[in-house]
Amino acid sequence: MLTRKRRRGPAAVGAATATAAVVAAGVYRVLRARPRPSWQRTNYAGRTVDLYAGPAVALGTAAGIAALPLPPRTRYAAVLAVTAAAGCGAYDDLAAADDPRRGFRAHLTALRHGEVTSGTVKLLGIGAAGLAAGALLANRPVDRLLGGVVVAGTAHLVNLADVRPGAAVATVLALCAPCVAGGPLAAAPMAAALALAPADLGERTMLGDAGAHALGAALGVAVVAGAGRAGLVAHAAGIVAATVYGDRVTRLAEALFTR
């Protein structure tokens, strides 16, 4: 029986990974077949691209996670974080199409003046989803708080890198790779991101806030699920530093991925 379980484990992970890739690619094809002006943007090079990669990678990631052999609480936390991050990101993608304000400071400044921007809704929504995921993944209050910071902060970190074709996908792959050794959870976002990488690099689509936040949230859950207290503290500190110096992270991504 033990041998059979070991054999089923890798097979189940492989099937879930394939599910993430197939669902992401399939959703993208369906959405692209019915183009809508509200889901189109002009990228940094002046080319018209769509935002369909965002919901596609989010649904692919969620489907892959749902099929993984995970403890129920871990699965619930991951699906919750991914879908909430994607929903909040999609709302900001559509509602803030003509809003030039970007970053925490701009939205918090608007909030201090009594204006609730779509970016504020996104930040609060993803923050709440991160805390809920942290509560499902950890038992002690401190670990739950740290887990929430890591999940929400990683979602924001991937979004900071989504400024050039392939930048967010490369960030996800680079950050997910170490997590795969510690558990299967990171395999789903990697597979979904890879499925849309050719369209992203070909400047036909972009992840937008929906896709970048969803992939980042999945990565954050993978980190929390495999980390102890010291690891959570280290990741949370790194994410806070990246948030404080968010402009530098964005400029670095622009420099590395500008053709």
Side-chain angles (χ1 to χ4, degrees), residues 73-89 120-138 143-156 213-214 216-218 220-221 224:
R73 288 171 67 92
T74 303
R75 184 182 296 110
Y76 299 151
V79 172
L80 168 65
V82 169
T83 54
C88 293
T120 302
V121 173
K122 178 185 70 174
L123 294 174
L124 295 177
I126 294 176
L131 290 173
L136 287 168
L137 292 167
D143 293 337
R144 290 177 172 179
L145 178 60
L146 289 170
V149 171
V150 171
V151 173
T154 308
H156 178 62
H213 283 303
V221 172
V224 175

Side-chain angles (χ1 to χ4, degrees), residues 6-148:
R6 289 193 190 103
R7 287 177 180 174
R8 278 202 297 267
V13 174
T17 302
T19 297
V22 169
V23 170
V27 170
Y28 179 69
R29 284 196 297 270
V30 170
L31 294 175
R32 191 170 174 81
R34 297 175 176 83
R36 298 190 179 189
S38 60
W39 285 84
Q40 293 181 331
R41 296 290 183 273
T42 300
N43 73 358
Y44 79 104
R47 297 183 179 89
T48 299
V49 300
D50 62 57
L51 291 168
Y52 296 139
V57 297
L59 290 173
T61 299
I65 289 170
L68 281 169
L70 296 169
R73 288 171 67 92
T74 303
R75 184 182 296 110
Y76 299 151
V79 172
L80 168 65
V82 169
T83 54
C88 293
Y91 171 70
D92 194 40
D93 280 334
L94 298 177
D98 299 320
D99 191 345
R101 290 171 293 190
R102 294 291 184 270
F104 282 120
R105 293 178 183 176
H107 294 298
L108 292 178
T109 298
L111 185 62
R112 284 199 298 269
H113 289 86
E115 180 184 1
V116 180
T117 65
S118 61
T120 302
V121 173
K122 178 185 70 174
L123 294 174
L124 295 177
I126 294 176
L131 290 173
L136 287 168
L137 292 167
N139 295 319
R140 297 181 179 180
V142 173
D143 293 337
R144 290 177 172 179
L145 178 60
L146 289 170

